[in-house]
Amino acid sequence: MEIINPLEELDEEELRARLEGAALPTHVAVIMDGNGRWARSRSLARIRGHQAGVKAVREAVTACREVGVKYLTLYAFSSENWERPTLEVRALMQLLKNYLVGERDELLEKQIRLEAMGRLDRLPKDVRAELDKTMALTAPHDELTLTLALSYGGRAELTDAVRALVAAGESDVDEGTIGRYLYAPDHPDPDLLVRTSGELRVSNFLLWEIAYAEIYVTNVLWPDFRARHMYAALLDYANRERRYGRVSAAEGGGR
Ligand code: FPP
């Protein structure tokens, strides 16, 4: 589907200037999609698209940190992704491990905390070890919290939350109780959900947490995603009026 985002016509400098003083989201969540199509359009193997996607991850992280977004959550590997061909899964796990080792110093230098959410016990042991190490080292930082959703599914998260609250003997369950049993109970809900490659789906991502998120879809394939695309999404968000189901401020509503 062709989606027109006029702000994506502006260059990075102009977008940065327009973001000065704008109402930024505290938490941005991203469905990184289109790696396979990016590779196919160049007659490359799918994994080459994932490799190129790592540069886009770096750009998104840096862009968010630069302007003061406090939480960035990336859908890096879904529960469903385990069903992909073994070689692709292996290659994705290797890329992830390389990222966790290769970016460690950069994350520390930029005071970025790395976290992860999902059924992490399914990850290969070596990946899990590097993940745990990077999370432990970056834990004291709070410039930006970068969360990788790994082996993650929204329904699995809710199922795990219900299992845990039943096991804990919770009674009198309300929305707050469920929130406390999610994978990242201390994170604010995403204000903005970005999806690349023009698909209009939420794909089992943060189903509970995105209840009131603004959605920004871009046709850009993930490996082509750059800082200016993130800034365009942030500016688009800043120009919207969030009503949370209430009437608009102009009509006497507001938060
Ligand atoms: C979706 O593209 C993307 C993924 C399944 C994986 C995302 C992984 C990365 C961007 C690289 C590694 C990540 C980190 C954090 C180091 P797709 O393959 O579904 O694309 P398609 O829909 O065009 O086939």
Side-chain angles (χ1 to χ4, degrees):
M1 172 159 179
E2 193 54 33
I3 293 149
I4 315 272
N5 292 312
L7 293 171
E8 292 182 4
E9 301 300 321
L10 302 177
D11 65 24
E12 189 177 327
E13 205 181 326
E14 172 68 19
L15 288 162
R16 273 297 293 269
R18 291 197 192 188
L19 278 171
E20 290 293 325
L24 286 175
T26 303
H27 185 170
V28 178
V30 184
I31 301 176
M32 309 184 286
D33 194 18
N35 295 354
R37 274 161 285 171
W38 183 93
R40 195 164 55 242
S41 71
R42 289 162 174 77
S43 306
L44 298 171
R46 293 178 56 79
I47 184 60
R48 296 288 297 279
H50 299 316
Q51 283 167 351
V54 177
K55 179 174 167 61
V57 168
R58 284 197 205 100
E59 289 251 345
V61 171
T62 308
C64 283
R65 187 195 172 280
E66 294 268 307
V67 294
V69 168
K70 299 309 282 182
Y71 293 83
L72 174 64
T73 300
L74 302 177
Y75 204 3
F77 194 89
S78 72
S79 315
E80 293 75 23
N81 287 157
W82 289 115
E83 310 304 323
R84 291 194 176 196
T86 314
L87 277 180
E88 185 174 347
V89 171
R90 250 190 233 154
L92 276 166
M93 289 298 139
Q94 188 61 45
L95 268 185
L96 179 61
K97 187 176 161 186
N98 293 348
Y99 178 83
L100 293 166
V101 178
E103 293 297 299
R104 205 172 270 151
D105 287 347
E106 177 82 0
L107 295 174
L108 287 167
E109 191 188 310
K110 294 201 168 140
Q111 310 212 317
I112 295 169
R113 175 166 60 221
L114 185 92
E115 296 192 0
M117 65 194 298
R119 290 188 172 162
L120 306 179
D121 50 340
R122 287 194 71 182
L123 296 174
K125 277 199 173 59
D126 57 333
V127 175
R128 183 64 198 267
E130 299 300 350
L131 177 64
D132 288 345
K133 186 171 173 188
T134 306
M135 290 197 298
L137 285 168
T138 61
H141 297 312
D142 65 355
E143 202 59 42
L144 168 71
T145 298
L146 167 63
T147 304
L148 301 180
L150 297 169
S151 186
Y152 175 87
R155 287 187 174 182
E157 180 181 21
L158 288 169
T159 305
D160 288 350
V162 172
R163 281 186 187 144
L165 70 83
V166 167
E170 293 273 7
S171 55
D172 204 14
V173 173
D174 60 15
E175 291 185 8
T177 323
I178 293 172
R180 283 194 293 282
Y181 283 88
L182 296 176
Y183 292 146
D186 54 328
H187 292 188
D189 287 342
D191 308 287
L192 174 64
L193 173 69
V194 175
R195 180 164 191 150
T196 58
S197 89
E199 305 290 349
L200 304 177
R201 294 188 288 275
V202 295
S203 298
N204 201 18
F205 190 39
L206 303 175
L207 296 180
W208 179 274
E209 298 89 332
I210 61 169
Y212 293 101
E214 295 289 330
I215 302 180
Y216 181 89
V217 178
T218 174
N219 287 320
V220 172
L221 303 176
W222 181 254
D224 292 326
F225 194 87
R226 294 291 171 268
R228 70 185 178 84
H229 300 113
M230 180 60 82
Y231 293 146
L234 298 178
L235 196 55
D236 190 275
Y237 169 89
N239 292 338
R240 298 185 195 184
E241 183 197 16
R242 301 187 75 193
R243 300 211 307 265
Y244 303 91
R246 301 170 174 85
V247 297
S248 83
E251 294 175 79
R255 252 207 129 181

